[in-house]
Amino acid sequence: MDDSSARFISDETDPRLATLLCRRQELTQALADSPYDLILYLERAVVYTNLGYPDLAAGDAYRALLLTDEVRDDGFEYHEQAKEALIQYTSGAVPEVLQHGSLVNGTSGIPNGTGPHGPKPLQKLSAIAMVRCLQILSLSLLLCGCLKSAHTFCERAIAAVPKNKELLEIKGYIEQVARRRLRLSVDEPIHTNHLPDRGVVRREVYPWNTHEPDRFSDESLNFLNRELAAMAPKCEVRVSQLPVLLEGESSTDGYDIIPTCNQLGLFAKEEIAAGELVLQEYSLLTANNRHKESACDACGTELPPLGEKTTAVSCPECYDTVFCDELCFSKAQEQYHPAVCEKDVDSIAKDPEDADIDQSLYLLLLARLLAMASHQDIHPLEVKEIKYIWGDFVPTRSNEIDLSASAGPPPEWTLPFSFKYNIETPLHILEKMDIDIYATLPEHDLWVFNTAYSKFRGTASARKNPRDGRPDVAAVHPFWCLANHDCDPNVTWEWGGRMELYARKERVVGRRPGGIKPGEEILNHYCDVDLPVQQRREWARGSLGGWCMCKRCREEAGI
């Protein structure tokens, strides 16, 4: 066992989980050595299933499925590598991960067209692997709540092996859950397009994640305060005690003492007058979901009027990419733009349907993060714009599924998830950026995407388009979001090309005079504080992972 696997296995770890975590680490290392081996991906998918991570199992099964395509088609980019990795398994017994139920004996009737050109043993193995990928995808996505995608993959597998018992059982489970979710009777037909395709998964610092810093260390605080000095000279980053977010209604609303946890926060070092500028922050971690919209590609602000004296600057290589001024152009060139320049990624996830607006913005933030990491040649979770953000993670033990006979109800997972936005499209973006999604697995594993999404949700700010009121631009400002949320904030904010915090002239509760005294915490607001308490708490549960337990919410809930 290497140091990275020893780090997340403590004396208190359940022996079964410890064994699975060690096996996951072994397979991850094997994939680093042989990144085109689809059998290894399937084996790790099974380990993820047994660990209770159906989303990560689906992610590995999908990469394995893509590799079966690579084996099958000699015109694909990684055909030779995928074929060479698979051919080593043709000389002996069929790998154990493929010996699932009646799978090995039930794939003989698959038409030759679904197998690769090449030796018959390779064709057979590829055909079995394809169906096994679809099995795992179907069941895993069902467990995540993504019924439409689960149903689509299951139907595709059944078309290949119509009599496979395990697949028919999975289809029955999907239909059973679908009828319950859609409130359909046994006789009513199920239309695939009506099936829900959003679910929830675990929101946690994964046991193997070595990129999460000690946010309370002197080293971290010193770094953050050096960065903050120019943005907010009257403030400093310190450790703050915050109420623990709860899963739902609780009798603790009326308690004088409630559970708290440590988080980072912004505090005033000097007196800040009502209406005074508290913080001004510039960020390139932005997203715009409107195609051909007149917004700066870097900071997201409206472009200045075009003309002879305009300050707008176009990229000389991809002329359609425009920046509001020379500063944004030069910053983009330094930090991200060369990774996507002329890579045909501009149209991905743009102009989404109303139901997908939020997911498209989070996806485009992820795309920008991946471009920043690629150009700066660092791991995505080491990019300073997100490294120190807390993703409202839930302890791993609270997310675990109890498999014992006396188990209580399953845990309530809180990270929104879909096959399209968490798995399929991020990989498509990387391919458009000419990034090998197999060889760069350590940087682009699904758990990395999920960790980034956890940090974006609840901290990213969005701006609505004045023409139709739809959110179309989003950004992550890491120091703005260090100012913790409270439903009685002492600051308000404006976002143009810069995020600006101002001391409120009047507080929400009691219309008290504004201003901030030395030593007081800067209290931000991430939602509309004029909403009723129930709606504020429902927003917090979706974005922050639990009900808001600030003083105002507790008092209003008790009325």
Side-chain angles (χ1 to χ4, degrees):
M1 188 193 315
D2 63 20
D3 289 342
S4 58
S5 58
R7 186 189 68 81
F8 55 73
I9 299 174
S10 69
D11 294 339
E12 299 177 359
T13 303
D14 181 288
R16 173 184 165 276
L17 293 179
T19 300
L20 289 169
L21 287 169
C22 284
R23 180 58 179 154
R24 180 217 164 264
Q25 187 65 22
E26 291 170 0
L27 290 167
T28 301
Q29 183 57 54
L31 281 166
D33 298 333
S34 182
Y36 307 98
D37 189 333
L38 67 88
I39 299 299
L40 292 176
Y41 281 106
L42 285 172
E43 290 177 343
R44 199 174 70 155
V46 171
V47 171
Y48 277 139
T49 297
N50 293 332
L51 280 168
Y53 296 99
D55 51 329
L56 304 187
D60 274 2
Y62 184 64
R63 289 193 201 232
L65 182 64
L66 294 178
L67 284 167
T68 66
D69 292 338
E70 295 286 346
V71 171
R72 184 166 63 247
D73 194 321
D74 57 14
F76 279 19
E77 184 174 4
Y78 305 110
H79 169 71
E80 290 299 329
Q81 297 96 315
K83 186 175 76 170
E84 182 181 348
L86 186 61
I87 209 164
Q88 64 180 303
Y89 297 100
T90 60
S91 58
V94 172
E96 185 178 350
V97 72
L98 301 184
Q99 297 182 35
H100 182 73
S102 58
L103 187 57
V104 173
N105 297 324
T107 53
S108 57
I110 295 179
N112 195 43
T114 64
H117 300 293
K120 284 187 177 180
L122 194 64
Q123 291 183 30
K124 179 181 178 181
L125 207 56
S126 178
I128 297 170
M130 178 195 71
V131 178
R132 184 69 172 119
C133 293
L134 295 171
Q135 278 183 340
I136 294 174
L137 274 165
S138 304
L139 186 56
S140 298
L141 292 171
L142 168 64
L143 294 173
C144 295
C146 304
L147 301 188
K148 182 178 178 181
S149 295
H151 187 267
T152 299
F153 283 118
C154 191
E155 287 291 330
R156 179 177 164 186
I158 289 174
V161 282
K163 297 181 181 179
N164 183 269
K165 177 184 174 183
E166 290 76 27
L167 282 168
L168 293 173
E169 286 180 351
I170 293 171
K171 181 181 179 181
Y173 297 147
I174 294 171
E175 291 180 348
Q176 182 179 346
V177 175
R179 292 187 188 284
R180 188 165 64 244
R181 292 274 295 271
L182 298 176
R183 299 182 180 179
L184 298 175
S185 68
V186 177
D187 299 327
E188 291 180 272
I190 296 173
H191 299 288
T192 302
N193 287 336
H194 295 168
L195 293 175
D197 213 28
R198 285 200 198 192
V200 287
V201 297
R202 297 167 70 150
R203 187 173 188 163
E204 65 182 57
V205 177
Y206 295 97
W208 52 85
N209 179 0
T210 60
H211 299 280
E212 198 66 26
D214 179 355
R215 300 161 70 246
F216 308 138
S217 70
D218 289 342
E219 180 183 2
S220 294
L221 291 172
N222 289 337
F223 171 81
L224 291 169
N225 279 310
R226 285 196 302 270
E227 294 280 311
L228 179 68
M231 307 175 207
K234 290 189 176 183
C235 296
E236 64 180 344
V237 180
R238 286 173 21 198
V239 178
S240 172
Q241 270 202 338
L242 299 179
V244 174
L245 302 177
L246 300 184
E247 292 181 358
E249 290 186 59
S250 167
S251 59
T252 58
D253 279 336
Y255 290 8
D256 292 329
I257 299 175
I258 59 172
T260 60
C261 63
N262 286 341
Q263 294 294 347
L264 296 181
L266 291 186
F267 290 79
K269 295 190 297 182
E270 305 173 29
E271 183 143 355
I272 300 173
E276 184 178 349
L277 179 66
V278 176
L279 173 143
Q280 185 179 66
E281 183 177 7
Y282 176 80
S283 176
L284 294 174
L285 188 46
T286 61
N288 170 22
N289 66 13
R290 297 293 181 102
H291 195 43
K292 305 297 183 184
E293 186 69 11
S294 59
C296 175
D297 189 74
C299 72
T301 193
E302 287 287 322
L303 289 173
L306 300 179
E308 195 172 316
K309 297 183 179 180
T310 185
T311 60
V313 179
S314 294
C315 173
E317 302 297 328
C318 50
Y319 194 74
D320 286 343
T321 303
V322 186
F323 305 90
C324 63
D325 56 26
E326 188 66 37
L327 172 67
C328 276
F329 172 66
S330 62
K331 289 287 187 183
Q333 292 296 105
E334 290 170 10
Q335 296 192 34
Y336 76 88
H337 185 64
V340 292
C341 188
E342 291 195 302
K343 296 293 174 61
D344 191 28
V345 298
D346 286 347
S347 62
I348 297 175
K350 297 295 179 75
D351 298 327
E353 299 292 329
D354 286 353
D356 291 335
I357 287 175
D358 61 332
Q359 292 193 101
S360 75
L361 284 172
Y362 289 125
L363 172 68
L364 292 169
L365 285 172
L366 177 65
R368 175 61 57 85
L369 176 70
L370 296 175
M372 295 171 80
S374 175
H375 182 61
Q376 297 172 36
D377 195 24
I378 56 177
H379 192 281
L381 299 181
E382 296 291 337
V383 173
K384 68 178 182 179
E385 280 79 0
I386 72 158
K387 181 173 182 177
Y388 296 94
I389 293 176
W390 179 248
D392 294 297
F393 301 113
V394 175
T396 296
R397 281 190 174 276
S398 300
N399 277 325
E400 289 173 358
I401 300 173
D402 188 347
L403 300 177
S404 68
S406 59
E412 291 199 34
W413 295 340
T414 60
L415 179 64
F417 177 87
S418 76
F419 170 73
K420 177 180 179 180
Y421 287 100
N422 290 66
I423 299 176
E424 182 182 37
T425 313
L427 294 181
H428 178 55
I429 289 170
L430 288 169
E431 289 176 327
K432 285 284 188 180
M433 292 169 59
D434 295 329
I435 290 175
D436 185 335
I437 63 172
Y438 309 106
T440 63
L441 182 66
E443 293 79 28
H444 303 125
D445 214 337
L446 177 56
W447 68 265
V448 177
F449 301 161
N450 284 356
T451 300
Y453 277 134
S454 294
K455 295 190 176 207
F456 295 156
R457 287 184 175 272
T459 59
S461 52
R463 188 176 67 230
K464 293 181 179 179
N465 191 304
R467 291 190 293 277
D468 58 15
R470 290 177 18 142
D472 63 355
V473 180
V476 173
H477 294 87
F479 287 90
W480 171 83
C481 67
L482 283 179
N484 290 305
H485 171 80
D486 194 284
C487 295
D488 184 24
N490 54 18
V491 294
T492 188
W493 54 273
E494 296 176 5
W495 174 38
R498 310 290 186 274
M499 175 61 79
E500 296 178 337
L501 278 178
Y502 292 89
R504 293 180 75 96
K505 295 180 180 179
E506 188 178 70
R507 299 292 290 273
V508 175
V509 176
R511 303 302 173 191
R512 308 176 331 268
I516 306 168
K517 292 181 172 57
E520 286 187 357
E521 184 169 2
I522 309 299
L523 301 175
N524 202 350
H525 60 100
Y526 301 165
C527 73
D528 182 353
V529 291
D530 292 328
L531 291 172
V533 59
Q534 184 68 22
Q535 292 183 35
R536 298 198 308 270
R537 284 185 150 181
E538 287 172 357
W539 162 85
R541 188 177 183 197
S543 295
L544 303 180
W547 277 32
C548 180
M549 291 296 290
C550 73
K551 186 172 184 289
R552 180 187 171 197
C553 280
R554 286 184 284 122
E555 288 178 349
E556 291 182 4
I559 296 176

